[in-house]
Amino acid sequence: MEEIKKVTWRSPSNIALVKYWGKKSGIQIPANPSISFTLEQCYSETSATLIKKETKNRDIELRFYFDGKENMAFRLRMLKFFDIIAKDFPILRQYGLFVHSTNSFPHSSGIASSASAMSALALCLCDLQNQMDKKKVSKDKFLEESSYYARLGSGSAARSVYPLIAEWGKAKGVKGSSDLHAIPFEQNLHKTFKTYQNTILIASSAEKKVSSRVGHSLMKNNPFAAVRYAQANKNLRDLIVALKKGDLEKFGSIVEDEAMTLHALMMCSSPSFVLLAPSTLSMIEKIRRFREETKLPVYFTLDAGPNIHLLYPNNIKRKVDSFIFDELEQHCEQGKMIHDNVGKGPFSVK
Ligand code: DP6
């Protein structure tokens, strides 16, 4: 195998504070703006290698390995993505491509991997195409371009390319915001949030009953859709103020409102679906009681699944660790959890 060029990128997952749930018509256009913390410990590491093509035709020649094993299901998903973007990436038809990917978090942890996986892949492709074209682009331009293509792979992946926090989706009053790519938002972040902690409590690692893609599409006929999109815009505006000021209480109340709304929308979709587990509710109750009793700013959010993302400032880590150990660990599947924190964003692995 003649290797022509190889790049490797490590890109993190993210956790949405204001949720993207519902799409407009068009390719991956969000129905409302969203914002997320970029994580650190949960990441995908992907390398993409260009090799000499086996045939002379224009077909895409791709081999895909996940955790060292060839994976045909993921390969098919990638080929669909490549079909959408191939017109902007001549390398995809000029060369053969080997892609190897791994996740830092276990495959069966119930953690969504599309954000980290698709952002890592988009970063690899943009890097490869630029290098083959001998094109010098600024870092800002490179990340914007990667975010744009990551979005076409999976909406939430658009936000993973920026350090600490990223906003995606046209929003009134948010300069530079766009439906087509995320924007960096670090400059609007109070220092307390730059070291924020996120412990992921695994309520269940079972595969999701309903994919995000289907969940988004069910918003089309959800009777609360219009109200939801207005609420998301307002929550984003209010959250931005809290993020700037370092207002942890306001931050927490918005974030919990978003988590509960996301799941309420699922429950009242047609058909209805429930992704919460009984242990999710037990943990929510305990978190709210703990907050009431201690007045400590410990809040939670949820992804499209049963796992709790506990959010708290770094300076109360020890107290929260004891609370987790004493009260929450017993509700986690085999005691499973992942300690994560707000992170610095993707980087190229040399
Ligand atoms: C609940 O980005 O996974 O995590 O664009 O169809 O790939 P696709 O969906 P995806 O949806 C994420 C939904 C969410 C909220 C969020 O991350 O904003």
Side-chain angles (χ1 to χ4, degrees):
M1 181 183 85
E2 195 189 328
E3 184 178 308
I4 293 164
K5 178 80 68 197
K6 179 179 178 183
V7 297
T8 303
W9 279 85
R10 180 182 287 189
S11 188
S13 185
N14 66 71
I15 179 67
L17 306 169
V18 171
K19 310 287 179 184
Y20 146 56
W21 198 244
K23 302 181 194 189
K24 287 187 196 153
S25 52
I27 310 176
Q28 294 284 85
I29 303 298
N32 63 263
S34 59
I35 193 163
S36 56
F37 277 150
T38 303
L39 298 180
E40 174 104 347
Q41 309 298 339
C42 293
Y43 59 82
S44 296
E45 191 167 304
T46 300
S47 50
T49 311
L50 294 180
I51 54 166
K52 203 167 169 291
K53 241 184 139 168
E54 279 169 14
T55 62
K56 285 207 155 48
N57 64 31
R58 302 268 302 149
D59 293 351
I60 294 176
E61 284 175 17
L62 166 71
R63 298 193 70 168
F64 180 77
Y65 294 78
F66 183 73
D67 279 346
K69 276 201 226 100
E70 192 146 25
N71 188 312
M72 289 305 184
F74 286 172
R75 176 179 176 272
L76 278 182
R77 180 156 182 200
M78 272 174 78
L79 281 175
K80 272 195 198 144
F81 172 54
F82 284 3
D83 266 344
I84 302 171
I85 63 164
K87 59 177 186 347
D88 298 338
F89 291 88
I91 49 166
L92 291 176
R93 296 196 191 280
Q94 285 162 350
Y95 302 97
L97 191 68
F98 262 97
V99 178
H100 288 253
S101 196
T102 55
N103 289 341
S104 64
F105 45 94
H107 187 50
S108 61
S109 60
I111 311 234
S113 58
S114 69
S116 55
M118 283 300 173
S119 55
L121 182 61
L123 288 155
C124 284
L125 293 179
C126 290
D127 192 4
L128 277 176
Q129 187 67 55
N130 288 340
Q131 286 198 43
M132 295 309 284
D133 291 347
K134 300 201 169 19
K135 202 166 119 193
K136 286 257 176 295
V137 287
S138 67
K139 185 160 183 217
D140 290 352
K141 197 77 214 145
F142 172 71
L143 292 180
E144 185 178 303
E145 184 179 286
S146 303
S147 173
Y148 175 96
Y149 290 108
R151 173 194 118 240
L152 295 176
S154 178
S156 55
R159 299 184 310 241
S160 269
V161 306
Y162 291 112
L164 310 179
I165 187 164
E167 190 274 350
W168 168 45
K170 188 84 198 128
K172 233 172 146 183
V174 181
K175 218 173 129 223
S177 63
S178 164
D179 285 345
L180 303 183
H181 57 80
I183 56 169
F185 215 67
E186 187 183 339
Q187 67 283 9
N188 301 306
L189 204 57
H190 187 274
K191 67 175 187 326
T192 316
F193 291 112
K194 296 189 176 174
T195 54
Y196 232 58
Q197 301 294 305
N198 173 26
T199 301
I200 309 166
L201 302 153
I202 314 288
S204 164
S205 60
E207 187 142 341
K208 275 194 277 183
K209 286 169 279 192
V210 179
S211 69
S212 290
R213 194 174 45 80
V214 171
H216 286 293
S217 72
L218 290 176
M219 282 301 284
K220 287 252 173 321
N221 294 317
N222 190 304
F224 300 104
V227 189
R228 158 59 190 158
Y229 301 143
Q231 175 208 34
N233 278 281
K234 177 171 188 328
N235 275 348
L236 180 77
R237 278 197 299 277
D238 294 348
L239 184 68
I240 289 172
V241 176
L243 288 168
K244 275 189 186 149
K245 280 208 276 197
D247 183 342
L248 302 191
E249 234 172 83
K250 189 79 198 152
F251 165 85
S253 75
I254 297 171
V255 160
E256 288 195 359
D257 181 43
E258 280 289 315
M260 294 313 241
T261 300
L262 172 68
H263 284 265
L265 289 166
M266 295 175 192
M267 289 185 221
C268 66
S269 288
S270 176
S272 150
F273 60 106
V274 182
L275 296 185
L276 299 175
S279 50
T280 316
L281 297 176
S282 305
M283 288 197 269
I284 288 177
E285 232 173 73
K286 284 190 170 174
I287 294 161
R288 288 185 165 168
R289 197 181 319 139
F290 177 74
R291 200 163 66 222
E292 189 63 40
E293 285 168 9
T294 62
K295 307 288 177 227
L296 290 172
V298 181
Y299 295 87
F300 68 87
T301 188
L302 300 158
D303 228 333
N307 303 328
I308 298 264
H309 286 249
L310 206 60
L311 292 162
Y312 50 96
N314 191 34
N315 64 352
I316 59 165
K317 193 171 185 319
R318 279 208 9 241
K319 286 185 185 143
V320 179
D321 273 348
S322 322
F323 165 56
I324 293 173
F325 182 74
D326 294 342
E327 302 270 358
L328 301 179
E329 192 183 347
Q330 58 195 278
H331 299 288
C332 296
E333 187 184 81
Q334 295 160 347
K336 275 192 263 179
M337 64 183 77
I338 298 173
H339 293 285
D340 209 334
N341 51 268
V342 169
K344 294 181 194 60
F347 60 89
S348 136
V349 181
K350 298 286 178 209

